[in-house]
Short mmCIF file of all heavy atoms in Angstrom, two decimals:
data_model
loop_
_atom_site.label_atom_id
_atom_site.label_comp_id
_atom_site.label_asym_id
_atom_site.label_seq_id
_atom_site.Cartn_x
_atom_site.Cartn_y
_atom_site.Cartn_z
N LYS A 635 -35.11 -19.83 38.68
CA LYS A 635 -34.25 -19.37 37.60
C LYS A 635 -33.21 -20.42 37.24
O LYS A 635 -32.68 -21.11 38.11
CB LYS A 635 -33.54 -18.08 38.01
CG LYS A 635 -34.49 -16.91 38.24
CD LYS A 635 -33.72 -15.65 38.58
CE LYS A 635 -34.66 -14.46 38.77
NZ LYS A 635 -33.91 -13.21 39.11
N LYS A 636 -32.95 -20.51 35.95
CA LYS A 636 -31.91 -21.42 35.50
C LYS A 636 -30.55 -20.80 35.78
O LYS A 636 -30.42 -19.57 35.82
CB LYS A 636 -32.06 -21.68 34.00
CG LYS A 636 -33.37 -22.35 33.60
CD LYS A 636 -33.43 -22.53 32.09
CE LYS A 636 -34.74 -23.17 31.67
NZ LYS A 636 -34.83 -23.33 30.18
N PRO A 637 -29.53 -21.64 35.99
CA PRO A 637 -28.18 -21.09 36.18
C PRO A 637 -27.78 -20.24 34.98
O PRO A 637 -28.08 -20.57 33.83
CB PRO A 637 -27.31 -22.35 36.29
CG PRO A 637 -28.24 -23.45 36.69
CD PRO A 637 -29.56 -23.11 36.06
N LEU A 638 -27.12 -19.13 35.26
CA LEU A 638 -26.70 -18.25 34.18
C LEU A 638 -25.57 -18.88 33.37
O LEU A 638 -24.64 -19.43 33.94
CB LEU A 638 -26.21 -16.90 34.75
CG LEU A 638 -27.28 -16.00 35.37
CD1 LEU A 638 -26.62 -14.75 35.94
CD2 LEU A 638 -28.32 -15.62 34.35
N PRO A 639 -25.66 -18.80 32.05
CA PRO A 639 -24.55 -19.31 31.24
C PRO A 639 -23.30 -18.46 31.44
O PRO A 639 -23.38 -17.29 31.82
CB PRO A 639 -25.08 -19.20 29.81
CG PRO A 639 -26.16 -18.19 29.86
CD PRO A 639 -26.76 -18.28 31.23
N GLU A 640 -22.16 -19.08 31.19
CA GLU A 640 -20.88 -18.40 31.37
C GLU A 640 -20.27 -18.07 30.00
O GLU A 640 -20.34 -18.87 29.07
CB GLU A 640 -19.90 -19.31 32.14
CG GLU A 640 -20.41 -19.78 33.50
CD GLU A 640 -20.19 -18.74 34.58
OE1 GLU A 640 -19.41 -17.78 34.32
OE2 GLU A 640 -20.77 -18.88 35.68
N ARG A 641 -19.70 -16.87 29.90
CA ARG A 641 -18.97 -16.48 28.70
C ARG A 641 -17.59 -15.99 29.08
O ARG A 641 -17.41 -15.37 30.14
CB ARG A 641 -19.72 -15.36 27.94
CG ARG A 641 -20.91 -15.85 27.17
CD ARG A 641 -21.68 -14.72 26.52
NE ARG A 641 -20.85 -13.84 25.70
CZ ARG A 641 -21.34 -12.82 25.00
NH1 ARG A 641 -22.65 -12.57 25.01
NH2 ARG A 641 -20.55 -12.04 24.28
N ARG A 642 -16.61 -16.26 28.21
CA ARG A 642 -15.24 -15.80 28.45
C ARG A 642 -14.77 -15.00 27.24
O ARG A 642 -15.00 -15.40 26.10
CB ARG A 642 -14.29 -16.97 28.71
CG ARG A 642 -14.68 -17.85 29.89
CD ARG A 642 -13.58 -18.86 30.20
NE ARG A 642 -12.40 -18.20 30.71
CZ ARG A 642 -12.17 -17.94 32.00
NH1 ARG A 642 -13.08 -18.28 32.91
NH2 ARG A 642 -11.07 -17.34 32.39
N GLU A 643 -14.14 -13.86 27.50
CA GLU A 643 -13.58 -13.03 26.45
C GLU A 643 -12.19 -12.57 26.88
O GLU A 643 -11.87 -12.57 28.08
CB GLU A 643 -14.45 -11.80 26.17
CG GLU A 643 -15.89 -12.10 25.79
CD GLU A 643 -16.03 -12.65 24.38
OE1 GLU A 643 -15.01 -12.63 23.64
OE2 GLU A 643 -17.13 -13.10 24.02
N SER A 644 -11.38 -12.18 25.91
CA SER A 644 -10.03 -11.65 26.20
C SER A 644 -9.94 -10.25 25.64
O SER A 644 -10.37 -9.98 24.52
CB SER A 644 -8.95 -12.54 25.56
OG SER A 644 -8.98 -13.84 26.11
N VAL A 645 -9.40 -9.33 26.44
CA VAL A 645 -9.23 -7.95 26.01
C VAL A 645 -7.79 -7.51 26.24
O VAL A 645 -7.07 -8.09 27.06
CB VAL A 645 -10.19 -6.99 26.75
CG1 VAL A 645 -11.64 -7.31 26.40
CG2 VAL A 645 -9.98 -7.07 28.26
N ILE A 646 -7.40 -6.47 25.50
CA ILE A 646 -6.04 -5.93 25.58
C ILE A 646 -6.08 -4.51 26.11
O ILE A 646 -6.86 -3.68 25.63
CB ILE A 646 -5.37 -5.92 24.18
CG1 ILE A 646 -5.37 -7.32 23.57
CG2 ILE A 646 -3.95 -5.37 24.28
CD1 ILE A 646 -4.56 -8.34 24.32
N MET A 647 -5.25 -4.23 27.09
CA MET A 647 -5.10 -2.87 27.59
C MET A 647 -3.78 -2.32 27.06
O MET A 647 -2.71 -2.58 27.60
CB MET A 647 -5.09 -2.84 29.12
CG MET A 647 -4.97 -1.42 29.70
SD MET A 647 -4.46 -1.44 31.41
CE MET A 647 -5.82 -2.29 32.16
N LEU A 648 -3.87 -1.57 25.97
CA LEU A 648 -2.69 -0.98 25.34
C LEU A 648 -2.50 0.41 25.93
O LEU A 648 -3.36 1.28 25.75
CB LEU A 648 -2.91 -0.90 23.82
CG LEU A 648 -1.67 -0.80 22.94
CD1 LEU A 648 -0.94 -2.14 22.92
CD2 LEU A 648 -2.06 -0.41 21.51
N THR A 649 -1.39 0.65 26.63
CA THR A 649 -1.21 1.92 27.33
C THR A 649 0.24 2.37 27.33
O THR A 649 1.16 1.55 27.38
CB THR A 649 -1.72 1.83 28.79
OG1 THR A 649 -1.51 3.08 29.45
CG2 THR A 649 -0.99 0.73 29.55
N ASP A 650 0.41 3.69 27.26
CA ASP A 650 1.75 4.27 27.40
C ASP A 650 1.94 4.88 28.78
O ASP A 650 2.89 5.63 29.02
CB ASP A 650 2.01 5.32 26.31
CG ASP A 650 1.10 6.54 26.44
OD1 ASP A 650 0.20 6.53 27.29
OD2 ASP A 650 1.31 7.52 25.68
N GLY A 651 1.05 4.58 29.70
CA GLY A 651 1.13 5.08 31.07
C GLY A 651 0.33 6.36 31.28
O GLY A 651 0.01 6.71 32.42
N ARG A 652 0.02 7.05 30.19
CA ARG A 652 -0.76 8.29 30.30
C ARG A 652 -2.11 8.17 29.59
O ARG A 652 -3.07 8.84 29.93
CB ARG A 652 0.01 9.47 29.71
CG ARG A 652 1.27 9.82 30.48
CD ARG A 652 1.98 11.04 29.92
NE ARG A 652 2.41 10.82 28.54
CZ ARG A 652 1.93 11.48 27.50
NH1 ARG A 652 0.97 12.37 27.66
NH2 ARG A 652 2.38 11.24 26.27
N ARG A 653 -2.15 7.30 28.59
CA ARG A 653 -3.36 7.09 27.79
C ARG A 653 -3.58 5.60 27.61
O ARG A 653 -2.65 4.80 27.79
CB ARG A 653 -3.22 7.75 26.42
CG ARG A 653 -3.18 9.26 26.44
CD ARG A 653 -2.53 9.82 25.20
NE ARG A 653 -1.12 9.45 25.14
CZ ARG A 653 -0.23 10.00 24.31
NH1 ARG A 653 -0.63 10.90 23.45
NH2 ARG A 653 1.03 9.61 24.33
N VAL A 654 -4.81 5.25 27.24
CA VAL A 654 -5.13 3.86 26.96
C VAL A 654 -5.94 3.81 25.68
O VAL A 654 -6.76 4.70 25.40
CB VAL A 654 -5.90 3.22 28.13
CG1 VAL A 654 -7.24 3.91 28.35
CG2 VAL A 654 -6.10 1.73 27.91
N LEU A 655 -5.69 2.79 24.87
CA LEU A 655 -6.39 2.66 23.60
C LEU A 655 -7.73 1.95 23.83
O LEU A 655 -7.77 0.84 24.37
CB LEU A 655 -5.55 1.86 22.61
CG LEU A 655 -6.16 1.69 21.20
CD1 LEU A 655 -6.24 3.04 20.48
CD2 LEU A 655 -5.36 0.67 20.38
N LEU A 656 -8.80 2.60 23.36
CA LEU A 656 -10.14 2.04 23.52
C LEU A 656 -10.82 1.94 22.16
O LEU A 656 -10.46 2.65 21.22
CB LEU A 656 -10.99 2.92 24.45
CG LEU A 656 -10.46 3.10 25.87
CD1 LEU A 656 -11.30 4.12 26.62
CD2 LEU A 656 -10.44 1.77 26.62
N GLU A 657 -11.82 1.08 22.11
CA GLU A 657 -12.57 0.87 20.88
C GLU A 657 -14.05 1.09 21.15
O GLU A 657 -14.58 0.60 22.16
CB GLU A 657 -12.34 -0.56 20.36
CG GLU A 657 -13.04 -0.86 19.05
CD GLU A 657 -12.77 -2.28 18.56
OE1 GLU A 657 -12.33 -3.11 19.37
OE2 GLU A 657 -13.02 -2.54 17.37
N ARG A 658 -14.70 1.83 20.26
CA ARG A 658 -16.14 2.04 20.40
C ARG A 658 -16.87 0.76 20.01
O ARG A 658 -16.70 0.22 18.93
CB ARG A 658 -16.59 3.17 19.47
CG ARG A 658 -18.07 3.49 19.54
CD ARG A 658 -18.44 4.33 20.74
NE ARG A 658 -17.76 5.62 20.73
CZ ARG A 658 -17.82 6.49 21.74
NH1 ARG A 658 -18.51 6.17 22.83
NH2 ARG A 658 -17.16 7.63 21.69
N ARG A 659 -17.69 0.24 20.93
CA ARG A 659 -18.39 -1.01 20.66
C ARG A 659 -19.57 -0.77 19.72
O ARG A 659 -20.10 0.34 19.64
CB ARG A 659 -18.88 -1.64 21.98
CG ARG A 659 -17.73 -2.11 22.88
CD ARG A 659 -18.27 -2.89 24.06
NE ARG A 659 -18.96 -4.10 23.62
CZ ARG A 659 -18.36 -5.25 23.32
NH1 ARG A 659 -17.05 -5.35 23.39
NH2 ARG A 659 -19.08 -6.29 22.96
N PRO A 660 -20.00 -1.83 19.00
CA PRO A 660 -21.17 -1.69 18.12
C PRO A 660 -22.39 -1.21 18.90
O PRO A 660 -22.49 -1.43 20.12
CB PRO A 660 -21.37 -3.11 17.58
CG PRO A 660 -20.05 -3.78 17.74
CD PRO A 660 -19.43 -3.18 18.96
N ALA A 661 -23.32 -0.57 18.21
CA ALA A 661 -24.50 0.00 18.87
C ALA A 661 -25.35 -1.06 19.55
O ALA A 661 -25.97 -0.80 20.58
CB ALA A 661 -25.33 0.79 17.87
N SER A 662 -25.41 -2.27 18.98
CA SER A 662 -26.21 -3.33 19.58
C SER A 662 -25.29 -4.28 20.35
O SER A 662 -24.07 -4.28 20.15
CB SER A 662 -26.97 -4.10 18.51
OG SER A 662 -26.07 -4.67 17.58
N GLY A 663 -25.88 -5.09 21.21
CA GLY A 663 -25.08 -6.03 22.00
C GLY A 663 -24.68 -5.44 23.33
O GLY A 663 -25.07 -4.33 23.70
N ILE A 664 -23.88 -6.19 24.10
CA ILE A 664 -23.50 -5.74 25.43
C ILE A 664 -22.63 -4.49 25.33
O ILE A 664 -21.81 -4.34 24.43
CB ILE A 664 -22.76 -6.85 26.22
CG1 ILE A 664 -21.43 -7.23 25.56
CG2 ILE A 664 -23.63 -8.07 26.39
CD1 ILE A 664 -20.57 -8.12 26.43
N TRP A 665 -22.87 -3.56 26.27
CA TRP A 665 -22.13 -2.30 26.33
C TRP A 665 -22.20 -1.54 25.00
O TRP A 665 -21.26 -0.88 24.58
CB TRP A 665 -20.68 -2.54 26.73
CG TRP A 665 -20.51 -3.12 28.11
CD1 TRP A 665 -21.35 -2.94 29.17
CD2 TRP A 665 -19.47 -3.98 28.58
NE1 TRP A 665 -20.87 -3.63 30.28
CE2 TRP A 665 -19.73 -4.27 29.95
CE3 TRP A 665 -18.33 -4.53 27.99
CZ2 TRP A 665 -18.90 -5.08 30.72
CZ3 TRP A 665 -17.50 -5.33 28.76
CH2 TRP A 665 -17.78 -5.61 30.11
N GLY A 666 -23.34 -1.65 24.32
CA GLY A 666 -23.51 -1.04 23.01
C GLY A 666 -23.23 0.45 23.01
O GLY A 666 -23.78 1.20 23.81
N GLY A 667 -22.35 0.89 22.10
CA GLY A 667 -22.03 2.30 21.95
C GLY A 667 -21.00 2.84 22.92
O GLY A 667 -20.57 3.99 22.80
N LEU A 668 -20.57 2.04 23.90
CA LEU A 668 -19.59 2.50 24.88
C LEU A 668 -18.17 2.29 24.38
O LEU A 668 -17.91 1.48 23.49
CB LEU A 668 -19.77 1.76 26.21
CG LEU A 668 -21.13 1.85 26.91
CD1 LEU A 668 -21.07 1.13 28.24
CD2 LEU A 668 -21.55 3.29 27.09
N LEU A 669 -17.23 3.01 24.98
CA LEU A 669 -15.82 2.74 24.75
C LEU A 669 -15.39 1.60 25.66
O LEU A 669 -15.79 1.54 26.83
CB LEU A 669 -14.99 3.99 25.07
CG LEU A 669 -15.15 5.18 24.13
CD1 LEU A 669 -14.47 6.41 24.72
CD2 LEU A 669 -14.56 4.86 22.76
N SER A 670 -14.58 0.69 25.15
CA SER A 670 -14.11 -0.42 25.97
C SER A 670 -12.76 -0.90 25.47
O SER A 670 -12.28 -0.45 24.41
CB SER A 670 -15.13 -1.58 25.94
OG SER A 670 -14.79 -2.57 26.90
N LEU A 671 -12.13 -1.78 26.22
CA LEU A 671 -10.87 -2.36 25.78
C LEU A 671 -11.13 -3.27 24.59
O LEU A 671 -12.12 -4.02 24.58
CB LEU A 671 -10.23 -3.15 26.92
CG LEU A 671 -9.83 -2.33 28.15
CD1 LEU A 671 -9.33 -3.24 29.26
CD2 LEU A 671 -8.77 -1.29 27.79
N PRO A 672 -10.29 -3.25 23.59
CA PRO A 672 -10.52 -4.07 22.40
C PRO A 672 -10.37 -5.56 22.69
O PRO A 672 -9.52 -5.97 23.49
CB PRO A 672 -9.45 -3.59 21.41
CG PRO A 672 -8.40 -2.96 22.26
CD PRO A 672 -9.10 -2.39 23.46
N GLU A 673 -11.22 -6.35 22.04
CA GLU A 673 -11.12 -7.80 22.13
C GLU A 673 -10.17 -8.26 21.03
O GLU A 673 -10.53 -8.31 19.86
CB GLU A 673 -12.50 -8.44 21.95
CG GLU A 673 -13.49 -8.06 23.04
CD GLU A 673 -14.86 -8.66 22.81
OE1 GLU A 673 -14.97 -9.58 21.97
OE2 GLU A 673 -15.82 -8.20 23.45
N VAL A 674 -8.94 -8.54 21.42
CA VAL A 674 -7.90 -8.92 20.46
C VAL A 674 -7.19 -10.16 20.98
O VAL A 674 -6.87 -10.25 22.16
CB VAL A 674 -6.88 -7.77 20.27
CG1 VAL A 674 -5.81 -8.16 19.24
CG2 VAL A 674 -7.58 -6.50 19.83
N ALA A 675 -6.94 -11.11 20.10
CA ALA A 675 -6.21 -12.32 20.49
C ALA A 675 -4.80 -11.95 20.95
O ALA A 675 -4.19 -11.01 20.43
CB ALA A 675 -6.14 -13.29 19.32
N ALA A 676 -4.28 -12.69 21.92
CA ALA A 676 -2.97 -12.38 22.50
C ALA A 676 -1.88 -12.30 21.44
O ALA A 676 -0.97 -11.48 21.51
CB ALA A 676 -2.62 -13.42 23.56
N GLY A 677 -1.94 -13.14 20.43
CA GLY A 677 -0.91 -13.15 19.39
C GLY A 677 -0.96 -11.95 18.48
O GLY A 677 -0.05 -11.74 17.67
N SER A 678 -2.02 -11.13 18.61
CA SER A 678 -2.16 -9.96 17.74
C SER A 678 -1.79 -8.66 18.43
O SER A 678 -2.00 -7.58 17.88
CB SER A 678 -3.61 -9.86 17.25
OG SER A 678 -4.02 -11.05 16.61
N VAL A 679 -1.23 -8.74 19.63
CA VAL A 679 -0.94 -7.54 20.39
C VAL A 679 0.07 -6.66 19.67
O VAL A 679 -0.10 -5.44 19.54
CB VAL A 679 -0.41 -7.89 21.80
CG1 VAL A 679 -0.04 -6.63 22.56
CG2 VAL A 679 -1.45 -8.68 22.56
N GLU A 680 1.15 -7.26 19.18
CA GLU A 680 2.19 -6.46 18.51
C GLU A 680 1.63 -5.81 17.25
O GLU A 680 1.92 -4.65 16.95
CB GLU A 680 3.40 -7.33 18.17
CG GLU A 680 4.57 -6.52 17.66
CD GLU A 680 5.89 -7.27 17.74
OE1 GLU A 680 5.88 -8.43 18.20
OE2 GLU A 680 6.91 -6.69 17.35
#
């Protein structure tokens, strides 16, 4: 087997301590259709 390629992504965990904001991922691709932490650039948090 060839070495697995590496990928890096950044996600934001927006929380008020009781809830967390999640985003439904597109139907295709990794984790398709699941809820996950949004992929948002650090400068876009506010």
